[in-house]
Structure formats: C-alpha cells, structure tokens
Amino acid sequence: MSGKAAPRSAGEGTTSRTRLDRGRTVLGPALELVHTGRAPTRAVLTAELGVTRATAGAVAAELEALGLIRVDARPGAAAGSQGRPSHRLAVAEDGPVALAAQVHTDGFRAALVGLGGRIVATAPGCEAVDPDPATVLGSVVEAGVALLRETGRRCVGAGLAVPSAVAEPEGLALNPLHLAWPPGAPVRRIFAEQVRAAGLDGPAFAANDINLAALAEHRHGAGRGARDLLCVATGHRGVGGALVLDGRLHTGSSGLALEVGHLAAHPEGRPCHCGGRGCLDVETDPLALLTEAGRAPGPEMSLLRQADDLIRGHYDDPAVRTATETLIDRLGLGLAGLVNILNPDRIVLGGLHRTLLDADPERLRAVVAGRSLWGRSGGVPILPCVLDHNSLVGAAELAWQPVLDDPLGALA
C-alpha cells in the first residue's frame, strides 16, 4: 500500500472553504469567548456559538493563524471523563498587545496588555502630573513605546484612563478636578496625536478610569458572569461609579452617566467641588479617611496608600476604627440609594472602598440591606475588585474591542 495520502476531492475542498466562510461571521464572538475565559475548550466554543464542531474547529484554526489564540490538540482527558477529550483553547501568550495608559492625581503609568486581560509589561510609574495634558500624555506614550521596543510585540491600539468624566463624542475631560488640567481638555484627540507621533498604528481611545475598571472586572475579575454590575471605587481622590448592562458599559447619552461621587451621604458634611455638601466624593475618599482619623496626609506616598496602610496597620487604634466605621456607614448609605435606583445583581468595590469592605464586610452589607428596598428583599452581593491595575486593563479593553468585533478586519 502506498504511504501517500489520498488526494482531496473537489467536494471536500469546497466543504472546508464553506465551513471557514461560515465561521468567519463568528470569529469575533469566538474570540471574545476565549478572551473572557468563557470558552476554555473547543467543545464549549461549539456549544456557545451554536455551530457544528467542524465549523468551530475552522474558527479556532483561523484565530490561531492570526496569532490570537492557541489550540492544544493533545489535551489529557480529565479523570472519570467519557468520550474523546476536547481541544483546549487559550489566548496566545506571545500574541499582540494593546498599549494601556492611566493618569491619576498622584502620577501616571503605561503598560502592555494582551488578550485575556493579562498585563505583559509595565513601565515604572511617574509621580508628577504636568498641568499640560499634552506633556503628560506624550510622556506616557513614550513609556509605552519603550515597552513595545523591549518586548518586540505588535500593538493593536491604545487606550487611556483618566480621573474625569469624558464627554462623547468629542472625548473631552470635563472635570479633571484633582488634576491641574483645564476643564474640557480634549484628551482623546491629544492622546491620539501622541500615539500617531510615536509611529504606532491602530486606534486610540480615552475614557473615565472607573468605567474602565468596571469593564475590566466584568470581563476578567469579580464581576464576571454578572448581568447588571455596579462598580464604585475611590482611588487617589474622589469617588467614581460605573454600570455594566448585559456586557456593555452604560455611559448615558453623552458619556456622563453614573457620576455617583455627587450623591449626598452626609447632608451637613464637607463642602464638595460640585457646590453641594457631604457628597460621597468628599466623605468616602482617602483624604476623608485621613481627616476623620485625625491624621495629616504626608508627601511621602499617595493618599490611597496612606489610607490603606492606616486601616490595615492601625485598625486597633480607636480613632482609626471609628473613622473607618464612619466611612463605611456613609458609603453604605450611598450604595443603598444606588441599589434602589439601579437594582444591580452584583456590586464590586475598588480602591479604598475595597479596603473598607475588607475591614468590616458585615457592617457595610447591613447598612446597604437596611437602607435599600431590594437589599432587604434578597441582598445584593458586594465583592471586592480582584484585578491589580483594573483601570489599565480596562483601557486596554478599549483598544482590543475593534479586534474582538472584527479580528480579520482589525489585523489586516
């Protein structure tokens, strides 16, 4: 018998091409399933897409040829499993990356983020923010380009997280209150110009940092699997919120939804930048914790780090415990109002709010349940964010989205 394989018939070739053409219409959904960890095997991919096993195989092979995923064709069968084991699917560890950048009141940072929300490399953070947005964004892009040179990775695009509401469609940072930037700074245009000037291909995006943290946690962290996810966080100054509905950020008609920092949590409290008093923004952020505990903030580290260290290292101090409980009660009041309005199926807390939850989870959950109609009827899970640098990961998600929507078109 000859060792040569039998020639493929014309019909077989046509069938293979038909499967691939059919599969290309679901390349994007397939990539998103692998990207978010919801399709760890080809069998799961087949079921989730509602296609034949052959079509799912063609889709996986196409994504692997694009350098986006890896297909393990020789998996070991799980103990006690029946039938032929399915091929395992994973994002390509050496695949393309997105350049992610974040600016906050205590500095800025650049990173490279691959599919799956995996941070490939980070540049050392800078602790000074120039009052000129172009100077800052030029520096952070330069840091990102240096990482690309060091790693030799292909870049699909760039995303920027800023501590401000970002108005659509212009991409204006309307209220960078804790930066010295002018209100209405065109951060998206400036960022895109710096990306182009650095010689990078791919689109450039900019959005609010808490929105991006919520997006990252929904796809890769504590919010995975939630349908209506509420994220509330305080980073270095102020408080932000975001809502993910059916997998997409709810940004409102012009990108300004969920400005939760200006919910009143203590009507007779501190004056707020918005003109009100006692807003979450000034009653539950790191500066509020330090002030409530009678501690003067120092210049040696960020306000967030000082507040975190105070709770974690000195919780036995009566002044620190009382200050922590005060902030928990005010945060719980704000969350209860949001639960009454939004009826989320999960809440995730980031920054100092995560530390407050860790310090006394039962107290916070009791305040929310006691002050919210839906909280009393069933209780809303309140969880800590789990991703390090989730705003950076979320910024990368902006740059990855065109690839998730159309892998062939974006990488052509």
Side-chain angles (χ1 to χ4, degrees):
M1 181 182 291
S2 168
K4 295 181 179 179
R8 178 181 291 182
S9 69
E12 288 174 333
T14 300
T15 300
S16 179
R17 285 194 300 273
T18 299
R19 286 171 183 157
L20 184 56
D21 290 342
R22 186 185 304 122
R24 280 176 173 161
T25 65
V26 293
L27 276 180
L31 181 60
E32 183 162 340
L33 287 167
V34 179
H35 171 60
T36 56
R38 290 178 290 151
T41 68
R42 202 168 68 182
V44 176
L45 184 68
T46 301
E48 289 287 337
L49 294 177
V51 298
T52 66
R53 191 165 68 180
T55 297
V59 168
E62 182 80 359
L63 293 174
E64 186 172 37
L66 290 170
L68 297 171
I69 74 169
R70 290 289 176 263
V71 180
D72 181 356
R74 297 174 297 172
S81 63
Q82 301 268 335
R84 185 170 61 184
S86 180
H87 295 8
R88 293 193 182 98
L89 306 178
V91 298
E93 292 188 358
D94 58 350
V97 294
L99 191 162
Q102 182 181 11
V103 179
H104 52 73
T105 56
D106 292 311
F108 59 84
R109 181 180 291 275
L112 305 182
V113 184
L115 282 168
R118 188 173 65 90
I119 295 180
V120 173
T122 58
C126 177
E127 297 181 356
V129 178
D130 194 274
D132 178 13
T135 299
V136 178
L137 299 183
S139 296
V140 77
V141 169
E142 183 180 344
V145 169
L147 292 175
L148 289 168
R149 282 197 301 264
E150 292 169 12
T151 60
R153 297 297 187 97
R154 177 181 179 181
C155 183
V156 300
L160 169 68
V162 293
S164 168
V166 177
E168 301 293 349
E170 299 90 352
L172 309 179
L174 290 189
N175 58 342
L177 296 173
H178 305 295
L179 302 176
W181 293 0
V187 291
R188 182 176 300 146
R189 176 179 61 77
I190 295 170
F191 185 58
E193 289 172 352
Q194 297 292 348
V195 168
R196 296 291 168 271
L200 297 181
D201 295 325
F205 303 89
N208 170 261
D209 52 1
I210 305 302
N211 276 357
L212 298 181
L215 183 61
E217 291 288 340
H218 185 268
R219 291 184 175 181
H220 308 293
R224 186 182 289 172
R227 192 187 70 174
D228 299 335
L229 175 71
L230 173 64
C231 176
V232 177
T234 176
H236 300 265
R237 290 291 303 275
V239 173
L243 184 66
V244 179
L245 297 176
D246 290 325
R248 299 290 177 179
L249 277 171
H250 173 70
T251 57
S253 61
S254 58
L256 307 180
L258 271 292
E259 278 291 307
V260 305
H262 300 291
L263 288 175
H266 182 36
E268 305 303 319
R270 299 176 179 86
C272 183
H273 331 282
C274 70
R277 298 188 73 88
C279 298
L280 284 178
D281 221 40
V282 292
E283 296 292 342
T284 67
D285 76 343
L287 183 59
L289 186 281
L290 295 170
T291 302
E292 199 74 34
R295 305 297 177 93
E300 66 279 359
M301 62 180 70
S302 72
L303 291 173
L304 176 59
R305 174 75 179 275
Q306 292 177 63
D308 272 343
D309 288 353
L310 188 62
I311 294 176
R312 298 186 190 282
H314 303 277
Y315 194 61
D316 290 339
D317 182 323
V320 174
R321 182 184 289 269
T322 299
T324 302
E325 291 175 347
T326 297
L327 262 70
I328 287 173
D329 291 347
R330 290 173 185 167
L331 173 61
L333 182 63
L335 292 178
L338 291 168
V339 167
N340 286 334
I341 295 168
L342 302 174
N343 188 212
D345 58 3
R346 194 178 310 173
I347 299 171
V348 294
L349 301 179
L352 180 64
H353 292 167
R354 176 173 61 179
T355 308
L356 294 174
L357 175 64
D358 291 343
D360 196 340
E362 295 309 315
R363 186 184 186 99
L364 179 60
R365 290 174 179 136
V367 173
V368 175
R371 293 292 193 122
S372 61
L373 175 63
W374 313 125
R376 288 198 298 274
S377 65
V380 182
I382 304 175
L383 304 173
C385 291
V386 298
L387 298 177
D388 292 330
H389 308 301
N390 51 18
S391 291
L392 275 174
V393 174
E397 290 295 317
L398 295 178
W400 274 113
Q401 193 60 52
V403 181
L404 297 174
D405 291 338
D406 181 10
L408 279 175
L411 298 180

